[in-house]
């Protein structure tokens, strides 16, 4: 994803944001004034000058093209070639023809232009494109293509609605398109499949997306402008899915932040029947889910492209280059997956990161008869599908990073199993069938690392039960070593309020072990071996990082003077805090040394329509006045942080001075 350079931020998020619209007239941006004037010319603000070009538009009508990026029209000409006999590249010498990357990507068989906006400017944009399609653009006088002439019926409004999901009582969030004009003869296009079918049947469509819904979800990407992807980044076989599309959203409001942006990625729920992309819950109408977190960020450059406005103003072929780069990335990615991830002829099947649950395996699910290696890691399995135990020739099974609590006794039916990988689940010793596991005479690796309930006693029990009859079996469990933070004579891990905030280790403790590894790699170029325990031993990682900091000399200490908040706002916030009806029984995070403790989640920061999100939303509404005042207070000091934070901790008598992240 795109990031701001270190120690920079948008000008409008500084204390000088009030001068943003006069930036080039201020002392901060006066040096950019010549560039600003040049950009104004590129936007067509000099169109009143007589260019001598042939056009049917006169006077103010020619301003229809004003403020549109030149690269946009160049992209239209590239993907929607002129159907007229005259050369569409003839015309203004200032116009540069498209250049595409020299990469062997098959040309698209069909292109649909979908105009997306939260505003009310669709009619103006429609008129601009229609006039361009008729050959009335001064730089493209020979261009003509009726497929780009927008009719009123091509302008739609979108919305989200909750529908009952079967007899379960659950609600499903559905994306819909409605006619922009009040036309009772036009039907609502409801659901992902209908929307996709409609979009693929058109050459050009205009959609006014629902800004109030996006705003109410705190500008979360999933609630903005949906973009449909065929697969997740780790999917293997879905290039043969029903919709062979590649949606690309080019937008200036795309950030390297999974909780902020205008575009959200939706993917189909994937089943594995015949190796195709279908779903078992709704076989005729596949359901779709939104991506969140790192999965969503992984779509940057392939389905989401941030548009820095100046670039397409200065470079006429910028949009074409970005689109072709995105097409190339997806083409290479899918080609590699098709060759490596799904190799049924050799008996290897990789179904990692498919959003699969045990319900996706049923009697009609067809798996390779010669299956001997199966990867089901990074899914939503709560139990191992019973169908798998019929594959007695299976030698490798990976069920890592699911929600499993144990193995069923039927695991003994996998008599040829050599490696059983089940790290990062929720395993408990009492749900491990020791007799069944002991019967697997060929088993050489049982990997149960990073199951927090399996401690030293569990490892000892497993070794005593399995290794006497199978001395070559290696059993892996993560046994935490005593952690000594600051106090060499203590084996107790200190809580945040008890750490010495002046120590570097205290400041690093809130970071996860993978985050510590990334800091080692990015700051010091130190890469730990991820094939061994080295990169997962938190004590070793922390020790290595502290040594790197020590070798690079003392860290610079910088003191920042705080920004005072207005007295009235602090008084209002204090009144709300004193009025909190704290519970008299239990409280959140009881291990924290505080009299009371409560967390308020920011709207849009959780998984949409989950039980937890509904619970957090109800709690937030109860303390909405307090939350709003806190956000306004933060906004006075740091508006950027007020925009991006995800949760607010409210406490009473919270221990000593401490570090919060």
């Amino acid at each position: 994803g795109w990031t701001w350079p270190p120690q920079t931020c948008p000008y409008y998020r500084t204390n000088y944001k009030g001068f943003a619209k006069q930036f080039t007239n201020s002392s901060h941006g006066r040096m950019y004034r010549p560039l600003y004037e040049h950009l104004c010319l590129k936007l067509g603000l000099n169109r009143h000058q007589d260019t001598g070009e042939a056009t049917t538009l006169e006077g103010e009508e020619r301003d229809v093209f004003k403020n549109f990026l030149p690269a946009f029209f160049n992209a239209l000409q590239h993907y929607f070639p002129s159907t007229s006999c005259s050369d569409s590249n003839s015309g203004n010498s200032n116009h540069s023809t498209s250049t595409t990357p020299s990469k062997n990507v098959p040309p698209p068989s069909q292109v649909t232009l979908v105009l997306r906006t939260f505003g009310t400017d669709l009619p103006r944009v429609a008129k601009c494109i229609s006039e361009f399609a008729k050959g009335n653009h001064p730089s493209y006088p020979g261009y003509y293509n009726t497929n780009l002439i927008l009719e009123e019926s091509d302008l739609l409004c979108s919305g989200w609605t909750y529908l009952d999901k079967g007899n379960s009582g659950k609600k499903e969030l559905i994306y819909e398109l409605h006619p922009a004009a009040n036309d009772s003869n036009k039907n609502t296009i409801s659901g992902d499949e209908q929307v996709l079918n409609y979009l693929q049947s058109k050459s050009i469509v205009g959609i006014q997306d629902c800004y109030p819904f996006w705003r109410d979800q705190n500008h979360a990407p999933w609630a903005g402008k949906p973009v449909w992807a065929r697969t997740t980044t780790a999917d293997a076989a879905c290039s043969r899915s029903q919709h062979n599309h590649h949606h690309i959203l080019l937008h200036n409001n795309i950030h390297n932040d999974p909780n902020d942006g205008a575009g959200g990625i939706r993917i189909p729920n994937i089943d594995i029947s015949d190796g195709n992309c279908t779903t078992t819950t709704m076989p005729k109408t596949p359901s779709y889910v939104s991506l969140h977190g790192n999965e969503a960020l992984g779509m940057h450059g392939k389905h989401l492209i941030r548009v820095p406005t100046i670039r397409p103003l200065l470079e006429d072929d910028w949009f074409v280059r970005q689109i072709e780069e995105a097409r190339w990335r997806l083409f290479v990615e899918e080609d590699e997956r098709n060759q490596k991830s799904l190799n049924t002829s050799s008996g290897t099947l990789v179904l990692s990161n498919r959003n699969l649950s045990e319900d996706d395996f049923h009697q009609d699910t067809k798996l390779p008869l010669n299956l001997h290696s199966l990867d089901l890691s990074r899914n939503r399995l709560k139990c191992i599908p019973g169908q798998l135990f019929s594959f007695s020739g299976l030698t490798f099974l990976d069920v890592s990073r699911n929600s499993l609590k144990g193995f069923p006794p039927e695991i003994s039916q996998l008599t040829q199993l050599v490696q059983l990988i089940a790290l990062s689940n929720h395993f408990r010793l009492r749900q491990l069938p020791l007799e069944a596991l002991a019967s697997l005479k060929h088993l050489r690796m049982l990997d149960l690392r990073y199951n927090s309930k399996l401690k030293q006693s569990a490892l000892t029990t497993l070794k005593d039960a399995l290794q006497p009859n199978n001395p070559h079996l290696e059993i892996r469990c993560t046994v935490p070593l005593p952690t000594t933070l600051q106090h060499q004579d203590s084996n107790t891990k200190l809580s945040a309020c008890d750490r010495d905030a002046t120590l570097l280790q205290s400041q690093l403790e809130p970071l996860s072990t993978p985050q510590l590894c990334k800091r080692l790699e990015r700051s010091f170029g130190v890469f730990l071996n991820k094939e061994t325990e080295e990169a997962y031993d938190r004590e070793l990682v922390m020790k290595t990082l502290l040594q790197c900091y020590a070798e690079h000399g003392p860290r610079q200490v910088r003191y920042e003077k705080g920004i005072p908040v207005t007295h009235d706002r602090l008084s209002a916030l204090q009144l709300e805090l004193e009025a909190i009806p704290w519970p008299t029984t239990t409280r959140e995070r009881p291990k924290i040394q505080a009299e009371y403790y409560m967390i308020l989640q920011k709207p849009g920061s959780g998984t949409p329509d989950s039980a937890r999100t509904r619970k957090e939303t109800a709690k937030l509404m109860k303390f909405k006045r307090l939350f709003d005042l806190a956000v306004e207070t933060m906004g006075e000091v740091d508006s950027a942080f007020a925009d991006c934070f995800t949760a607010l901790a409210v406490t009473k008598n919270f221990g000593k001075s401490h570090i919060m992240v």
Side-chain angles (χ1 to χ4, degrees):
W2 188 91
T3 58
W4 288 96
Q7 299 182 349
T8 68
C9 71
Y11 188 76
Y12 63 85
R13 287 188 174 179
T14 69
N15 292 335
Y16 302 101
K17 62 182 179 181
F19 301 96
K21 293 186 178 181
Q22 295 84 33
F23 177 68
T24 60
N25 289 323
S26 67
S27 58
H28 294 157
R30 190 171 295 120
M31 62 182 294
Y32 298 106
R33 186 66 188 182
L35 174 61
Y36 171 78
E37 293 175 350
H38 175 67
L39 296 177
C40 287
L41 296 179
K42 295 284 287 185
L43 279 171
L45 300 184
N46 64 335
R47 292 232 190 269
H48 293 295
Q49 298 176 7
D50 184 10
T51 60
E53 296 155 345
T55 174
T56 59
L57 296 181
E58 297 181 359
E60 294 185 1
E61 290 185 353
R62 295 182 61 186
D63 286 344
V64 69
F65 302 115
K66 184 190 296 184
N67 291 332
F68 283 85
L69 301 175
F72 174 64
F73 299 109
N74 198 46
L76 291 183
Q77 176 197 240
H78 180 87
Y79 293 106
F80 298 88
S82 175
T83 57
S84 68
C85 297
S86 59
D87 183 5
S88 61
N89 287 335
S90 63
N92 194 332
S93 60
N94 292 329
H95 161 62
S96 60
T97 58
S98 301
T99 59
T100 59
S102 56
K103 297 174 179 177
N104 189 23
V105 187
S109 58
Q110 176 190 344
V111 179
T112 301
L113 174 63
V114 184
L115 307 169
R116 309 290 290 270
T117 181
F118 284 127
T120 58
D121 52 353
L122 265 184
R124 177 176 176 246
V125 177
K127 181 178 180 182
C128 170
I129 296 175
S130 296
E131 294 299 331
F132 170 81
K134 298 173 184 177
N136 289 326
H137 193 291
S139 298
Y140 301 84
Y143 182 86
Y144 189 82
N145 192 328
T146 56
N147 290 327
L148 286 180
I149 298 178
L150 266 167
E151 304 294 342
E152 188 177 20
S153 59
D154 296 322
L155 302 183
L156 305 169
C157 295
S158 76
W160 295 86
T161 185
Y162 284 98
L163 296 179
D164 292 330
K165 191 175 182 180
N167 298 323
S168 63
K170 296 182 178 179
K171 299 284 188 178
E172 183 177 11
L173 194 61
I174 301 295
Y175 182 76
E176 295 183 333
L177 295 178
H178 312 272
N182 295 325
D183 189 348
S184 59
N185 296 323
K186 291 284 185 179
N187 295 326
T188 295
I189 304 167
S190 181
D192 300 86
E193 280 292 297
Q194 285 191 24
V195 171
L196 283 172
N197 289 335
Y198 177 79
L199 295 181
Q200 291 191 189
S201 69
K202 309 290 287 185
S203 295
I204 183 169
V205 179
I207 299 176
Q208 181 182 353
D209 284 287
C210 186
Y211 177 79
F213 182 82
W214 183 53
R215 177 200 61 207
D216 293 344
Q217 306 305 318
N218 202 41
H219 306 109
W222 68 266
K225 304 174 182 181
V227 181
W228 290 268
R230 292 197 293 270
T231 67
T232 62
T233 54
D235 191 9
C238 286
S239 58
R240 302 188 297 273
S241 64
Q242 178 179 355
H243 292 289
N244 190 27
H245 54 71
H246 181 187
H247 286 209
I248 302 174
L249 178 67
L250 298 115
H251 205 287
N252 65 335
N253 194 354
I254 292 174
H255 308 292
N256 195 32
D257 181 352
N259 299 313
D260 183 21
I265 301 292
R266 291 180 65 79
I267 62 170
N269 270 333
I270 299 170
D271 187 18
I272 51 177
S273 179
D274 293 328
N276 293 322
C277 281
T278 59
T279 58
T280 58
T281 53
M282 300 177 69
K284 293 184 179 180
T285 306
S287 61
Y288 285 72
V289 295
S290 296
L291 292 185
H292 302 275
N294 290 331
E295 278 192 304
L297 292 181
M299 293 299 183
H300 286 215
K302 291 179 292 188
H303 294 281
L304 299 173
I305 298 177
R306 186 181 186 276
V307 180
T309 310
I310 293 179
R311 293 290 298 279
L313 261 173
L314 297 175
E315 304 166 26
D316 284 356
D317 63 344
W318 190 86
F319 282 129
V320 174
R321 295 203 320 269
Q322 298 303 312
I323 293 171
E324 291 304 309
E325 286 286 350
R327 294 183 62 233
W328 171 251
R329 292 187 188 102
L330 196 64
F331 175 77
V332 171
E333 182 180 276
E334 291 185 344
D335 184 62
E336 291 177 351
R337 288 202 306 259
N338 288 335
Q339 294 183 31
K340 297 180 181 180
S341 298
L342 185 59
N343 188 0
T344 57
S345 61
S346 65
T348 299
L349 185 61
V350 177
L351 298 172
S352 177
N353 203 10
R354 293 285 198 95
N355 200 32
L356 295 172
S357 70
E358 57 276 8
D359 296 333
D360 293 309
F361 294 81
H362 48 83
Q363 293 181 350
D364 297 329
T365 302
K366 296 180 181 180
L367 297 174
L369 296 177
N370 63 337
L371 184 64
H372 65 76
S373 177
L374 178 60
D375 184 354
L376 289 171
S377 61
R378 299 179 184 274
N379 283 296
R380 297 184 295 110
L381 298 176
K382 293 183 179 179
C383 64
I384 297 179
Q387 181 190 7
L388 301 183
F389 300 121
S390 62
F391 292 90
S392 58
L394 201 64
T395 61
F396 176 88
L397 177 61
D398 188 349
V399 290
S400 302
R401 296 177 176 86
N402 280 280
S403 300
L404 303 174
K405 293 184 178 180
F407 296 123
E410 290 81 2
I411 195 76
S412 62
Q413 298 176 24
L414 303 179
T415 56
Q416 301 302 311
L417 202 58
V418 177
Q419 294 186 62
L420 180 54
I421 314 298
L423 54 85
S424 294
N425 278 282
H426 308 300
F427 277 77
R428 300 170 183 269
L429 180 62
R430 64 175 179 270
Q431 292 182 267
L432 294 176
L434 300 182
E435 291 185 8
L437 291 171
S439 69
L440 301 176
K441 304 300 182 183
H442 298 283
L443 191 62
R444 295 295 179 265
M445 171 62 71
L446 176 60
D447 194 342
L448 299 171
R449 289 177 295 168
Y450 317 118
N451 285 278
S452 60
K453 299 295 183 181
L454 299 181
K455 303 184 183 299
Q456 179 64 57
S457 59
L459 178 60
T460 302
T461 301
L462 287 167
K463 288 182 175 180
D464 292 343
L466 305 182
Q467 288 183 337
N469 295 327
N470 191 353
H472 301 292
L473 173 62
E474 179 183 353
I475 304 174
R476 293 182 177 180
C477 285
T478 301
V479 180
L481 298 175
T483 305
T484 57
L485 303 177
Q486 289 87 38
H487 300 282
Q488 297 295 328
D489 58 344
S490 173
N491 288 334
T492 304
K493 184 176 180 180
L494 301 178
S495 61
C497 64
D498 291 323
R499 297 185 191 130
D500 184 349
T502 64
L503 297 178
L504 174 59
Q505 184 170 348
S506 298
Q507 299 165 24
L508 294 174
E509 279 299 334
L511 301 179
S512 67
T513 303
Q515 288 173 323
L516 295 177
C517 288
K518 285 185 178 179
R519 181 164 293 196
L520 268 173
E521 296 171 2
R522 295 175 180 177
S523 299
F524 303 105
V526 176
F527 293 84
L528 300 177
N529 187 358
K530 295 183 179 180
E531 298 298 324
T532 66
E533 294 280 348
E534 189 178 49
Y536 305 98
D537 186 338
R538 181 175 179 84
E539 187 173 2
L540 174 62
V541 175
M542 179 67 78
K543 181 180 178 181
T544 305
L545 183 56
L546 291 174
Q547 287 176 346
C548 289
Y549 275 114
E551 291 172 0
H552 283 73
R555 299 169 70 230
Q556 180 182 3
V557 178
R558 185 174 66 186
Y559 296 93
E560 295 283 350
K561 186 177 181 180
I563 301 175
V565 181
T566 59
H567 176 74
D568 291 344
R569 194 179 300 281
L570 283 178
S571 299
L573 187 59
Q574 183 176 354
L575 289 175
E576 287 296 323
L577 287 169
E578 293 174 348
I580 294 178
W582 294 105
T584 56
T585 53
T586 59
R587 67 173 176 82
E588 299 175 37
R589 301 187 67 181
K591 292 184 179 180
I592 297 294
Q593 295 183 9
E595 185 177 346
Y596 296 111
Y597 194 100
M598 173 176 62
I599 297 176
L600 299 177
Q601 294 287 342
K602 192 176 184 180
S605 60
T607 303
D609 200 31
S610 67
R612 180 176 179 179
T613 299
R614 289 194 294 269
K615 181 179 178 181
E616 294 292 345
T617 301
K619 181 172 64 172
L620 179 64
M621 296 307 297
K622 184 177 179 181
F623 300 100
K624 191 173 188 308
R625 173 62 179 164
L626 170 64
F627 183 85
D628 290 343
L629 281 172
V631 174
E632 291 171 4
T633 304
M634 284 188 285
E636 273 194 25
V637 177
D638 190 340
S639 59
F641 180 76
D643 290 340
C644 69
F645 86 99
T646 58
L648 178 72
V650 184
T651 69
K652 182 177 181 181
N653 296 332
F654 186 79
K656 308 171 186 177
S657 299
H658 61 282
I659 300 169
M660 295 189 68
V661 176

